[in-house]
Amino acid sequence: MACVDSSLWVKICGLTVPGQAVEIARQGASAIGFISAPKSPRYVTPLQIQAISEALLAAGYDQVERVGVFVDASLDDLQIVAMTGQLTTLQLHGQESPTYCQQLRQCLPHVKLIKAFRIRNDTDLAAIRPYEDVVDALLLDAYHPHLQGGTGETLDWRSLQTFRPAQPWILAGGINPDNIAEALQLTHPDGIDLSSGVELNPGNKCLQKTQQLFTRLQQLPALPAP
Ligand SMILES: O=C(O)c1ccccc1N[C@@H]1O[C@H](COP(=O)(O)O)[C@@H](O)[C@H]1O
């Protein structure tokens, strides 16, 4: 049976433990994410990020992207975390403007930029347009009135069936090994991002669940072109 396109980008986010990050890289992750938003229960300091990045590099996983997740951080703070944590990619999960993204691009020209959006309706989807030229990828997460991310809430996948932005896009929000097949069938993203759906408690990943995810991805039949 043909398998789902192996070019699907898979990020596992909210890592706090070096050994778990290395094992998830071994299982097949394209990217490992670190939460640099102090209000999150998954928050890790720049030095904790550095320790996890060094563990990944020492284990030979230099091709696995190291993604810092930020919520309305100052450009100065963000640059310090990016340098200390040896990040390859920045995920902006707050209200960062297109101008902010452009400034960040000038400060850190070799770092990949992902802009996250919390989607409630078509108006929120339309607000993505001004970012299409200034970031490398777009990420769609579920809206929550009080939390910025890591909520476990899913988007209305059916409303994304015709979503085809100019840039690659990543589906996030409440994805887990049990709903991944339906999520991909309905939305056809370029990548997926999982956090709470593969953890025992915030920041503590369940390695059985992550393995189950990668196994299910390999077993999925090839998806028809959108
Ligand atoms: O995970 C967090 O605690 C977090 C905090 C602040 C901003 C973003 C955060 N995580 C991101 O949330 C989405 C979806 O997570 P979930 O799978 O629904 O738990 C994902 O992009 C994480 O990077």
Side-chain angles (χ1 to χ4, degrees), residues 174-181 194 197-198 213:
I175 304 173
N176 60 51
D178 293 327
N179 66 16
I180 185 61
L194 294 83
V198 286
L213 173 85

Side-chain angles (χ1 to χ4, degrees), residues 11 13 35 40 42 69 91 93 141 149-152 172-174 193 195-196:
K11 169 171 165 255
C13 198
I35 304 297
S40 167
R42 302 176 184 85
V69 179
Q91 177 176 322
H93 221 98
D141 191 7
T151 64
D193 185 11
S195 184
S196 55

Side-chain angles (χ1 to χ4, degrees), residues 13 16 24 54 57 61 65 68 75 83 94 107 116 140 154-155 159 184 186 188 197:
C13 198
T16 62
I24 290 169
E54 284 177 357
L57 292 169
Y61 294 112
E65 288 180 46
L75 286 172
M83 303 285 272
C107 300
L140 303 194
T154 52
L155 283 150
S159 71
L184 290 177
L186 288 175
H188 297 279

Side-chain angles (χ1 to χ4, degrees), residues 160-161 163-164 169 183-191 223-226:
L160 300 177
Q161 278 176 315
F163 181 64
R164 300 281 172 268
W169 77 278
L184 290 177
Q185 249 160 18
L186 288 175
T187 61
H188 297 279
D190 300 288
L223 298 170

Side-chain angles (χ1 to χ4, degrees), residues 57-223:
L57 292 169
Y61 294 112
D62 51 321
Q63 298 304 315
V64 173
E65 288 180 46
R66 302 180 296 279
V67 185
V69 179
F70 299 84
V71 176
D72 299 319
S74 73
L75 286 172
D76 285 347
D77 285 352
L78 198 146
Q79 285 180 82
I80 291 169
V81 180
M83 303 285 272
T84 308
Q86 302 182 54
L87 300 176
T88 60
T89 306
L90 306 174
Q91 177 176 322
L92 309 173
H93 221 98
Q95 306 299 317
E96 299 87 358
S97 66
T99 305
Y100 175 101
C101 297
Q102 279 165 329
Q103 288 170 339
L104 191 52
R105 170 79 79 207
Q106 282 178 350
C107 300
L108 297 170
H110 303 299
V111 172
K112 175 174 161 184
L113 294 187
I114 299 173
K115 179 70 188 87
F117 302 88
R118 299 185 298 136
I119 304 297
R120 282 166 295 191
N121 49 40
D122 286 351
T123 309
D124 291 337
L125 273 183
I128 293 175
R129 275 277 158 80
Y131 292 85
E132 287 189 354
D133 292 335
V134 293
V135 295
D136 298 294
L138 308 163
L139 181 148
L140 303 194
D141 191 7
Y143 179 83
H144 187 286
H146 309 301
L147 298 173
Q148 298 286 350
T151 64
E153 302 279 333
T154 52
L155 283 150
D156 175 8
W157 296 328
R158 287 183 191 282
S159 71
L160 300 177
Q161 278 176 315
T162 55
F163 181 64
R164 300 281 172 268
Q167 297 292 66
W169 77 278
I170 300 155
L171 179 68
I175 304 173
N176 60 51
D178 293 327
N179 66 16
I180 185 61
E182 186 187 357
L184 290 177
Q185 249 160 18
L186 288 175
T187 61
H188 297 279
D190 300 288
I192 53 173
D193 185 11
L194 294 83
S195 184
S196 55
V198 286
E199 67 187 4
L200 296 165
N201 45 58
N204 183 19
K205 296 299 159 194
C206 173
L207 299 176
Q208 286 75 32
K209 283 189 187 169
T210 51
Q211 184 57 68
Q212 202 178 17
L213 173 85
F214 290 109
T215 303
R216 295 236 165 117
L217 286 174
Q218 281 170 353
Q219 291 169 343
L220 283 178
L223 298 170

Side-chain angles (χ1 to χ4, degrees), residues 9-20:
W9 185 88
V10 182
K11 169 171 165 255
I12 306 294
C13 198
L15 270 291
T16 62
V17 180
Q20 291 186 356

